[in-house]
Amino acid sequence: MLADPRLRQLSRIYQRPLETEDAARQAVAADPGILASALFIEAAESDDVTSIEAALAYADARLAELAPFTGEAAGEVRRLLAEKLQAWASVA
């Protein structure tokens, strides 16, 4: 069993065991859109997120928490998430 809850979360998100920081970084780098989609869903389901700005703040906090595992892909995850949020805002 994975000791770090962040690795467990990323394993669930990427639907495969990610047992090390390196494995998690490789997964995120290979497809940052998966993490962006997961963070979008988390933000959309959160009662505390009531605006696009709040969703970005929520995602930034989650990305800060996951920083050891996102590496250089964090910027791309945030960019993809921002695209999703803007699309969501245009239909809301």
Side-chain angles (χ1 to χ4, degrees):
M1 175 156 32
L2 301 172
D4 191 319
R6 298 169 300 175
L7 284 174
R8 285 196 303 270
Q9 291 169 357
L10 289 169
S11 292
R12 178 185 44 80
I13 290 167
Y14 282 90
Q15 298 182 355
R16 65 179 187 264
L18 300 171
E19 297 179 351
T20 66
E21 286 186 23
D22 190 50
R25 278 192 296 275
Q26 288 177 15
V28 175
D31 198 341
I34 291 175
L35 182 54
S37 293
L39 293 177
F40 172 80
I41 291 168
E42 283 183 24
E45 291 178 342
S46 173
D47 292 337
D48 296 329
V49 173
T50 59
S51 68
I52 297 302
E53 293 77 21
L56 284 171
Y58 176 91
D60 284 342
R62 289 287 283 132
L63 282 171
E65 179 183 344
L66 296 171
F69 310 102
T70 57
E72 295 179 13
E76 181 65 3
V77 172
R78 191 179 192 289
R79 186 190 70 74
L80 292 168
L81 175 64
E83 283 181 5
K84 292 175 184 305
L85 291 170
Q86 290 306 316
W88 186 34
S90 70
V91 296

